[in-house]
Amino acid sequence: MLELAILGLLQESPMHGYELRKELAAKLGAIRAAISYGSLYPTLRRLQAAGWIIEAATTPATAEEVPALTSRRGRVVYEITAEGKERFAKLIAQAGPETYDDTGFGVHFAFFARTDQATRLRILEGRRRKIEERREGLRDVLARAAERLDAYTLELQRHGLDACEREVRWLEELIANERSGRAPTVPQPGTAGGRANESPPPPGKSRQERP
């Protein structure tokens, strides 16, 4: 999954390792904790050995961009090759069980804009089945063992069940959009849930009575 993410980002522009790590953190959001210098640089070396990326240039590094406990040296800028673009196209077209797991789904979803509609739909439907199974497992735990759980463990199970139910609804909306050919709605700044934030109506007036 890290290989897919790196190749996808390098298709946008050449980057050095520090830039890649920042972009990965921004693009992958909640799963960015899996990205570290310990995993990033070995992956970059492997991609380079495979001929999927090359070193395009070296530029001076700033103190901020040098990982802790390492020497300060130049930043190597990486660029994707034609073979790397072919490898990315192959990876992005996959829709197997590994794309339904939390990390796999998150990485693939981050590059959905470059994924064909049929593949997006297969991944979304697979992810929905995965979360529905997880939801049913949590429901079973709550039905069978709720009386044996302490209050905090019970609350954790309920929180997990609520998260699953929200994700299933979200996935169903995305699937419906894909089937109808619509892209997800992106809320504009100053909106909540796609609707403009409104101030409360003046005292004594309903919202419909406002001018």
Side-chain angles (χ1 to χ4, degrees):
M1 290 303 142
L2 182 55
E3 175 184 318
L4 169 64
I6 290 172
L7 292 175
L9 287 175
L10 290 180
Q11 286 215 73
E12 297 174 2
S13 68
M15 299 182 192
H16 57 73
Y18 181 77
E19 289 174 321
L20 275 168
R21 189 162 185 248
K22 287 202 305 183
E23 289 299 315
L24 286 166
K27 201 169 187 71
L28 303 185
I31 60 175
R32 64 182 179 272
I35 308 302
S36 66
Y37 285 109
S39 60
L40 176 61
Y41 287 102
T43 304
L44 287 170
R45 288 194 293 271
R46 182 169 57 81
L47 296 179
Q48 190 174 0
W52 296 329
I53 64 174
I54 58 172
E55 295 182 7
T58 302
T59 58
T62 65
E64 178 190 8
E65 296 168 344
V66 179
L69 305 180
T70 63
S71 60
R72 182 172 177 175
R73 45 183 190 170
R75 303 173 300 182
V76 175
V77 178
Y78 298 95
E79 183 177 335
I80 192 169
T81 63
E83 292 80 5
K85 292 178 180 179
E86 291 178 1
R87 175 64 175 171
F88 175 77
K90 180 180 178 180
L91 292 173
I92 205 69
Q94 293 177 353
E98 71 279 359
T99 66
Y100 311 153
D101 292 333
D102 293 346
T103 301
F105 177 73
V107 173
H108 273 267
F109 193 82
F111 294 99
F112 258 21
R114 286 186 256 169
T115 306
D116 67 86
Q117 183 185 26
T119 301
R120 291 197 302 262
L121 192 54
R122 288 197 299 272
I123 293 174
L124 289 170
E125 290 174 338
R127 176 65 176 181
R128 180 177 61 180
R129 290 193 299 272
K130 180 90 172 177
I131 300 303
E132 286 174 339
E133 291 172 1
R134 187 180 299 174
R135 180 187 63 185
E136 295 311 308
L138 288 168
R139 284 177 175 172
D140 186 62
V141 168
L142 289 170
R144 293 174 178 270
E147 68 280 358
R148 299 197 301 271
L149 301 176
D150 64 76
Y152 293 100
T153 303
L154 184 60
E155 188 62 24
L156 183 62
Q157 297 295 320
R158 287 174 174 164
H159 173 70
L161 177 58
D162 182 59
C164 286
E165 290 175 340
R166 288 197 307 272
E167 183 167 353
V168 167
R169 291 194 297 269
W170 175 66
L171 289 165
E172 287 176 342
E173 181 179 351
L174 289 171
I175 289 168
N177 285 341
E178 288 295 333
R179 288 175 176 165
S180 63
R182 296 193 307 269
T185 301
V186 180
Q188 298 300 316
T191 68
R195 296 184 177 181
N197 291 329
E198 295 183 348
S199 58
K205 284 185 176 286
S206 67
R207 195 174 298 278
Q208 288 78 11
E209 295 173 332
R210 295 180 66 177

